[in-house]
Amino acid sequence: MSGRSRWPWASPAPPPGTRGPSDRSRSRRPWPSRGRRLSSSLSVRTLAAQVFLLQALIMLLLVAVAAAALVVQGRYDAERSAEDRSLAAAEAFAHAPGTALALQSPHPTARLQAAADQAQKGSRVDFISVLDKHGIRLADTVPSLIGTKAEGVGRAAAGETFTETFHGEPTDAVRAVVPVTDASRRVIGMVTAGIQYANVSHLLNRQLPMLFGAAAGALVLATGGAALVSRRLLRQTHGLGPAEMTRMYEHHDAVLHAVREGVLILDGEGCVLLANDEAHRLLDLPQDADRRQVSELGLAPRLVRLLESQEPTTDEVIPAGDRLLAVNIRPTAPYGGAQGLVATLRDTTDLRALSGQAEVARGRLSFLYEAGMRIGTTLDVRRTAEELTEVAVPRMADFVTVELLDSVLHGQEPTSAVRQMRRTALRASRTGHPLQPVGDVIRFVMADTPMTSALRQGRAVLVPELHSAEDWRAQDPEGALQALDYGIRSLITVPLRARGVVLGMVNFWRGADSPRFEQEDVAVVEELVARAAVAIDNARRYSREHALAMTLQRNLLPLGLPEQGALEIASRYLPARSGVGGDWFDVIPLPGFRVALVVGDIVGHGLQAAVTMGRLRTAVLNFSSLDLAPDELLGHLDEMVTRLDTQGGPGDDDRVPLTGATCLYAIYDPVGGHCTLSRAGHLAPAVVDPQGRVSFPDLPLSPPLGVGGHPFEAGELDLPEGSRLVLFTDGLVENRGRDIDEGLELLSSAVGHADLTPEETCRALVDTMLPGHPSDDVALLVARTRLLAPSSVATWDVPFDAEAVSRVRREVSRRLADWGLEGVAFATELILSELLTNAIRYGAPPVRVRLLLGRTLVCEVSDGSNTSPRLRRAATTDEGGRGLFLVSQFADMWGTRYAPRGKVIWTEQNLDTASEPDPSALLGALGL
């Protein structure tokens, strides 16, 4: 359709006496009368005159702004041009081959002045100056300025090239300043070149007449154009007023054909004034919808009520046929129009579908994220399997079962025999289900079942409808029928795999009240099971390492307390919540009815800490067999720890170091109740006297083992009979919620009661100090002292004379008779005779003999010499060397220990099984 036919007032007049197409228009919109046309024409001319004046003012303003912009732009371009010319001239002169040499010469002015004048004339700049590095002019096109200092050149002296509009003496100018450097890039001078600011303005002033002439011409053209447009408007409108023009524009809907949203314009009574093409398509409107009530167009009742209510609405989603429309309604009256409304319609069907899919995907991601947070919170295999079922029911399935290999349940490596598993976890949304309970053995013997197929393929298998599937019934037809009767209808079975190895099987079931599983659910359950498999495998590996460490530690710790009569002992070992650690204790019987008590602590936890504890405990046992003093034993132990720590190789980065271990070693002597203690970085023991008073003795403290460079000291205690000695590691008194001082006070209150046995003391400490699982492992040793009766001790000081041996032997025989030990008198006299003879012959005074009667008979001979005897086999021609051999034959045990002054040779005879050696065998062994 041409432009002429679209505007009815531009149509040609019909011949007289005929009715043309425009007559219908005249009947709807009659042409104004002559009087009205005259008044309308006057009003239009007035409006045109006003429009013309307004356009002239706007054009004048635009031309003025454009002229000002051209002036500013011209000034800017002139300055930029001046800067470029000045920079080119300055850089050319500064980088000239002879400039640097001239600046470094004795008379730079003589060599540079002529060159500066020549360069200024050739580059069309107003001045060129050569400055030294301090800014003093050495050459200048104005000779009177030579020797003066230039201002504002500090940046060039620092090596920077720059241009600027300079205001100051000798004149305002656009200038460039370039540093001159020597071969080592050091600034030795500067070159400035520029154009005086008056000359830059002069160039612009010459352009102003042309600019203003162009602006005046543009204003004349614009004014003439506005006059022509106004005349054309008057001719085209035929005298129609503004109201008529606005109404014609309201009915013009060409632009609405391209709108992608449906548009409905209704009047105040619900009559359609305008419906664009998109509204016709979305609402399936008839062609004659204009001027009809919305209630007559067959629209959805909800949409009709919304349009007739005339109330503003925002994004109200309404179904219309098979579409979902977002409806927005706004009234037209507040915006200058007549009473009515404008409604826009947007098709959101596809958007709603995409939004639903996104919501489903978001829900699945949220579900998997929650599963990752809830599965694997413990390092227990069974609990992890239960957490998987708790997460999946009811959000993913109605029933979930988890079967694991027996090897996985026991913390062992999974085997390839996956045809038999044990049901480990089961969770159901309803009771009374027919699924096998936890603990049953599940066998996969039929090759066609979904479970067997999943194990063979290594991926999930979906059975969307169990009623129509036959293969899953082959394993247990009766059980399958019960499941179907119960209402189980859909299944996804997934192998539980980690590191490429099958750990078990997970089955997801849905009942009749839930939608059946779809293919989209398979990816979700596979991801869920994969995360659970990693957690179960981690728990399995931890269980294995924990079991190994517990087994090792149980074998390294004392299996029982040895028999001895000096102390009544009770002990406890409590592993930490995080696993086994390196705390240990030991009770070691020593000669002379003495007992050694040991408590130690290794830094760290786990298998390595248990191994380290075993190494230290073995070392303490070995050193104690030498019957060393506590401080000497810890000194040897410290040397061993230092030596072992320095022997680590490049592959031992994960080895737990021994350095930092603590140890307390105490020796108790029941003859007099004397106790000697030495500690390496360990807490002091608690001493409870028979009245229940608790004290922590101030014993010398040495650094932990392996630090080296510090001697070990020993402290001594005299313990009355019935005293309790409490040895412990720091895990008993210290944890995250309690400092060590509070722990020691709590320990004092727990053990500060008289007449508590060691076993009762241990129980009170555990109940008071460790109500739950301790955060650190704890070793506890409680010993109550006993004293050897004075009547069971006999002592003789022996003169350093061989004739005294017989006298002492007779007195020992009488004491043995008083004790009722005539049966061992001969052997004891022989042992005593040999030891006393050796002490007097080879030792040094003083010589002393002591007999101790307890479970066994102990005979001790001490002298002042540090020379230790040794057992050897004497030849048939030797006169001596058989004494210690006789002693070893008649005594059950014998040995030597060193005192602060001298040594003690001791023997021990068992009173229950005392027997004399065979004389013939003895003579044969002696070579007689």
Side-chain angles (χ1 to χ4, degrees), residues 581-890:
D583 291 10
W584 93 93
F585 65 89
D586 220 334
V587 179
I588 307 172
L590 297 176
F593 304 134
R594 296 170 302 133
V595 179
L597 302 176
V598 189
V599 172
D601 188 357
I602 304 295
V603 178
H605 297 87
L607 187 61
Q608 291 288 345
V611 172
T612 304
M613 178 270 291
R615 299 173 73 179
L616 286 187
R617 179 172 179 259
T618 302
V620 171
L621 288 172
N622 291 334
F623 288 138
S624 65
S625 65
L626 302 177
D627 209 348
L628 300 174
D631 53 340
E632 294 182 19
L633 185 142
L634 290 183
H636 287 292
L637 193 62
D638 180 70
E639 293 177 1
M640 185 205 75
V641 168
T642 303
R643 186 168 56 254
L644 290 177
D645 270 349
T646 57
Q647 292 176 353
D652 297 336
D653 295 339
D654 58 345
R655 183 174 63 89
V656 175
L658 299 177
T659 299
T662 65
C663 183
L664 172 64
Y665 188 85
I667 296 178
Y668 174 72
D669 189 349
V671 181
H674 187 70
C675 184
T676 306
L677 306 93
S678 184
R679 56 185 181 137
H682 204 84
L683 295 172
V687 178
V688 187
D689 64 12
Q691 288 74 35
R693 294 187 294 266
V694 182
S695 64
F696 295 92
D698 186 14
L699 300 173
L701 177 62
S702 300
L705 299 174
V707 175
H710 299 274
F712 288 88
E713 301 181 59
E716 297 183 352
L717 299 174
D718 290 322
L719 302 176
E721 186 171 13
S723 300
R724 280 171 288 159
L725 193 63
V726 182
L727 287 74
F728 53 88
T729 57
D730 58 356
L732 179 68
V733 296
E734 187 177 17
N735 56 39
R736 294 180 179 177
R738 179 179 65 207
D739 60 26
I740 191 168
D741 294 332
E742 294 176 353
L744 293 178
E745 292 180 3
L746 193 60
L747 183 146
S748 300
S749 62
V751 302
H753 303 281
D755 301 328
L756 284 180
T757 65
E759 182 62 32
E760 292 171 344
T761 304
C762 286
R763 189 179 306 115
L765 284 173
V766 172
D767 294 342
T768 304
M769 311 286 290
L770 306 170
H773 293 289
S775 58
D776 192 9
D777 49 339
V778 176
L780 175 63
L781 196 62
V782 179
R784 183 160 63 181
T785 61
R786 297 169 179 164
L787 292 179
L788 199 61
S791 60
S792 300
V793 181
T795 306
W796 295 271
D797 291 324
V798 181
F800 202 71
D801 186 359
E803 294 180 356
V805 174
S806 59
R807 178 180 61 82
V808 173
R809 188 169 60 240
R810 288 193 298 270
E811 293 179 2
V812 167
S813 297
R814 286 195 296 270
R815 179 55 62 95
L816 292 176
D818 294 340
W819 286 345
L821 300 178
E822 292 86 351
V824 297
F826 173 76
T828 305
E829 290 179 10
L830 180 60
I831 292 171
L832 182 62
S833 178
E834 291 295 334
L835 296 182
L836 269 177
T837 301
N838 286 338
I840 295 174
R841 179 178 298 178
Y842 304 109
V847 179
R848 175 173 291 183
V849 174
R850 187 171 72 163
L851 290 182
L852 303 176
L853 177 61
R855 296 174 180 267
T856 60
L857 177 64
V858 176
C859 178
E860 297 179 347
V861 177
S862 61
D863 66 85
S865 172
N866 288 326
T867 303
S868 177
R870 62 185 180 88
L871 182 64
R872 65 185 181 89
R873 180 176 293 278
T876 55
T877 57
D878 292 341
E879 294 183 1
R882 298 177 179 86
L884 286 180
F885 180 78
L886 290 174
V887 171
S888 67
Q889 295 299 314
F890 281 92

Side-chain angles (χ1 to χ4, degrees), residues 351-373:
L351 181 61
R352 179 58 61 91
L354 292 175
S355 177
Q357 295 175 6
E359 186 66 28
V360 171
R362 185 164 51 250
R364 289 173 176 173
L365 289 176
S366 175
F367 169 68
L368 292 175
Y369 173 78
E370 180 184 347
M373 299 295 294

